[in-house]
Structure formats: C-alpha cells, structure tokens
Amino acid sequence: MEEFLNKITTLKEYLTGAPKRIAVVTHTNPDGDAIGSSLAWAEVLVSLGHEVSCLVPNRYPSFLGWMQGVENVVVAKESQELAAEKVAAAELVFIMDLNKIDRLDTLTEAIEANTTAPRILVDHHLSPPNDYTLQFSYPDLCSTAFLTYKIIEQMVGIDSISVSIAENLYAGIMTDTGNFAFSTLTPDLMRAVAVLLERGLNIPKVHTAVYDSYTADRVKLLGYSLCHKMKLLEEGRAAYLSLSEREMRQHNFQLGDSEGFVNYPLTIVGVKISAMFTETRKFIRVSLRSRGDEVDVNVFARKYFGGGGHKNAAGGKSFVSLRETIENYKKAVAEFLPTCDLKD
Ligand code: 5GP
Ligand code: MN
C-alpha cells in the first residue's frame, strides 16, 4: 500500500501545474477493460484541465459503442496521420491494459519515436518489461478498470467519479471478470462496485448494453461454431473451436463477433482448457481459456503460441495454416495437460 501511495504522489506531480497534452493508449483488439479504463481515466485527466486523446491501434467492437467518450477515440488503423500527430505531440503517455508496447501495431513506432514524453503504465498483466517512467503494474487485480478505480480513489477521491466514469469502470470490471465469475474477485472489488453504485452506476443498463446488443448474424455464428466447429480432445479435458475466413465471411463477420466464444467449451463438465482459432489474412489468432488453478494458459500461450496473458485467459498468434495450428494445439495439449495438477 505504501508503495502504491508513493506512486500516486509521483503521479500527482506529473499531473499538477500547467495543463498537458496527454495520450492514453490501449491494446490491439481493444476489449471492455481496455476501452473502459482508458475512457474513465481520460475523463479524470480532462477534469484536471489536461488535453487528452485516447488512441487504439484498431477498432473496438460495436458492443462498446454506447460508452461515453468512445466516439472521440482515435483508431490508428483508420486515422493514421491523426494518431501519429497525437502521439508525437503528447507530453505524457499512459499505457493502459497491456504490458509491452510492441503489442500496439502501428502505434508502437509512434510511441517509440516520442522519446521525451514520460510513459506511465497502468496494467494488470503478468511480467511487464520494467522500462516505464512510472509503473502501476498489479497482476493480482481482476482488471485495469479496478486498478484505475484505485488510482482515482487515492488521487482525486471517489466524489470525482461521475456516472460515466462509474459506467466505464464497471464495464471494464464486468467484462474482465466474465461478469463476476472468475477467480479474481475480492471483497475490495465488491466494495469498489458498491461505491460505483453510490456514484450513479446502473448495472442492468451496462449489462444490457454490452451483452444484449448482438446482431442476429453473431448469434447464428455462435450457434454454427458450437454445433459444427467445437471439438473435444484428451478424453474431454481439452476443447477447441475454429473459424476460417470463409466461414466468417459467410456469417457477415464484424469485428468482435467471436469475442467470448472460447468460453463456451468450459461450460462442459470436465473441460480444463479451451482454445479458439480465428483466421485473419496474416495469421491465426489464438485465444485460450481455463478455470481455477489447474491449467495455466499464460504458460501454455507463451510456450506454444509466442503469446501470453493471464492464468485463465491468454492468447497468441500462429503463423502457419489453420489446419497446422490445430494440429500443433492437439500436440501441445497432449504434452501440457499431463504436467498440470488436474483434480479429476
Ligand atoms: P483474448 O483471448 O481475449 O484475445 O485475450 C485474452 C488475454 O490474452 C488478453 O488479456 C491478452 O492480454 C492476452 N493476449 C491475447 N493475445 C496475446 C498476444 O498475442 N500476446 C500476448 N502477450 N498476450 C496476448
Ligand atoms: Mn484487462
């Protein structure tokens, strides 16, 4: 706690005095936690008088389109020049919900080129590289949104939390905990949610906006994926789903449509690890999930797919065909599961 408060003191020093131009940057394929924590933090910075731009490498999914402030987020892939300008002009850069800036696609170069702006990390992923000016890195926390809440609480106080800050933080917490289902829940988190409620949060409104806003195509794609593309391996201990570019096209695939599919096989009794493979033009995107302490998919992702993440949610990329990627996964689980301490 003392270490955290010392960091808050340093953070305050960066944010007091003359207004600054600030860039708030988050990861590729931004999710609810990435966008929610960025927007909430940006609102706080604006309230302190700063000029703030939120930037993402590529577009956020449409089910986050309701979030207040999201319309001002600069999508680097679509507004290359504007994004480069904003990063170059920044006097301070916040890196939200990722640990390595090499996961920022085109924004990576722009950030590296700006050698004068201090970089401040606000994140909950494991193993950050330790090369930030100031580093809020707390892998035990469920979400960057919860970490952002803690920073706001200590830096400006909970009375500064507006309804939109409360909603954006809650959206991040809700999505990164699988709607309060994962093992990262703590009494402290629930107290924070209670405060967000006191500040005007409407939980059903946020829940509906995020989870009940799918297109019919998306719901049909889920049905197709589960019915035709879900396979079980290793006597039902491992599972995977895969979607080729062609299958996605046939279902009018929109960015974010397959988000969450990887969780479904874990609802089958006995399944310990689930993977989802989605084909893109350049590589196969790999998403991995597990539950509890038995299988650490962060270790699995690092070992077999050059990626990483958390114990129960990780990802990576594969640069061979979809078919070969699946073969590699089959071999990987056959090798990895026997090294895990499985309870049944
Ligand atoms: P998702 O399956 O939702 O894309 O990703 C789950 C988690 O895995 C994310 O929190 C993210 O941190 C991590 N992750 C996904 N893809 C990669 C990757 O290519 N590299 C690393 N290091 N982590 C990833
Ligand atoms: Mn997160």
Side-chain angles (χ1 to χ4, degrees):
M1 187 66 186
E2 199 187 321
E3 184 224 6
F4 183 71
L5 293 179
N6 288 340
K7 287 181 185 179
I8 295 287
T9 307
T10 312
L11 180 61
K12 275 186 187 165
E13 284 163 13
Y14 280 113
L15 296 173
T16 44
K20 287 195 166 107
R21 283 188 302 270
I22 300 178
V24 176
V25 182
T26 190
H27 61 78
T28 310
N29 301 323
D31 56 12
D33 191 31
I35 299 287
S37 55
S38 295
L39 293 178
W41 184 236
E43 193 178 324
V44 171
L45 296 175
V46 168
S47 75
L48 295 173
H50 300 290
E51 191 190 317
V52 186
S53 308
C54 286
L55 300 115
V56 287
N58 63 344
R59 186 155 279 280
Y60 47 84
S62 62
F63 61 79
L64 300 178
W66 60 275
M67 295 173 97
Q68 184 153 320
V70 80
E71 64 284 357
N72 300 322
V73 171
V74 178
V75 181
K77 210 171 176 183
E78 298 165 16
S79 314
Q80 200 76 254
E81 267 177 42
L82 180 64
E85 260 170 46
K86 294 285 185 193
V87 175
E91 296 162 279
L92 193 56
V93 178
F94 283 94
I95 309 285
M96 311 292 289
D97 198 39
L98 75 143
N99 53 13
K100 296 191 188 94
I101 55 170
D102 60 7
R103 282 195 65 213
L104 289 170
D105 294 339
T106 52
L107 282 173
T108 302
E109 226 172 278
I111 292 172
E112 278 169 351
N114 183 339
T115 50
T116 52
R119 292 175 201 156
I120 302 179
L121 180 75
V122 179
D123 180 49
H124 70 133
H125 291 88
L126 295 159
S127 326
N130 251 319
D131 56 4
Y132 297 92
T133 319
L134 178 62
Q135 189 158 307
F136 288 89
S137 169
Y138 295 90
D140 288 342
L141 298 185
C142 68
S143 56
T144 298
F146 182 36
L147 173 56
T148 306
Y149 171 88
K150 284 173 164 288
I151 294 172
I152 293 172
E153 181 188 33
Q154 293 301 331
M155 200 183 81
V156 287
I158 54 175
D159 289 346
S160 323
I161 297 177
S162 65
V163 174
S164 49
I165 291 177
E167 286 181 350
N168 288 339
L169 290 178
Y170 184 78
I173 294 167
M174 179 182 81
T175 51
D176 254 32
T177 59
N179 197 17
F180 297 88
F182 298 160
S183 55
T184 46
L185 305 175
T186 58
D188 229 17
L189 173 71
M190 294 313 193
R191 277 189 280 271
V193 173
V195 170
L196 298 181
L197 283 166
E198 283 164 355
R199 301 299 307 162
L201 165 69
N202 179 338
I203 289 180
K205 179 188 156 194
V206 175
H207 187 282
T208 298
V210 172
Y211 293 122
D212 303 334
S213 66
Y214 298 132
T215 59
D217 282 324
R218 191 264 184 198
V219 177
K220 287 180 189 174
L221 180 64
L222 172 63
Y224 169 79
S225 305
L226 295 179
C227 211
H228 300 288
K229 304 304 305 279
M230 184 178 73
K231 310 284 176 209
L232 292 165
L233 306 166
E234 299 296 312
E235 290 158 340
R237 290 203 170 85
Y240 70 89
L241 293 161
S242 65
L243 283 175
S244 67
E245 269 198 293
R246 189 163 147 262
E247 287 167 317
M248 290 191 270
R249 245 194 332 270
Q250 282 167 344
H251 289 85
N252 298 318
F253 187 87
Q254 303 296 313
L255 193 80
D257 273 0
S258 61
E259 224 56 49
F261 286 16
V262 65
N263 293 307
Y264 284 89
L266 286 176
T267 64
I268 302 168
V269 67
V271 174
K272 311 287 186 186
I273 179 171
S274 172
M276 169 91 194
F277 305 105
T278 36
E279 190 178 36
T280 71
R281 237 170 298 158
K282 293 188 186 145
F283 53 83
I284 309 294
R285 186 175 159 207
V286 182
S287 255
L288 296 154
R289 296 291 186 275
S290 64
R291 293 262 192 269
D293 292 328
E294 292 174 294
V295 178
D296 187 332
V297 287
N298 171 48
V299 174
F300 186 89
R302 277 167 201 270
K303 186 161 182 203
Y304 299 104
F305 292 105
H310 315 271
K311 188 169 65 179
N312 294 141
K317 288 176 183 161
S318 166
F319 295 92
V320 293
S321 70
L322 187 55
R323 186 192 292 253
E324 284 170 276
T325 303
I326 290 169
E327 287 311 313
N328 289 343
Y329 174 69
K330 287 181 183 172
K331 282 186 220 142
V333 286
E335 183 180 87
F336 193 75
L337 283 184
T339 69
C340 302
D341 186 16
L342 302 182
K343 298 210 169 54
D344 49 68

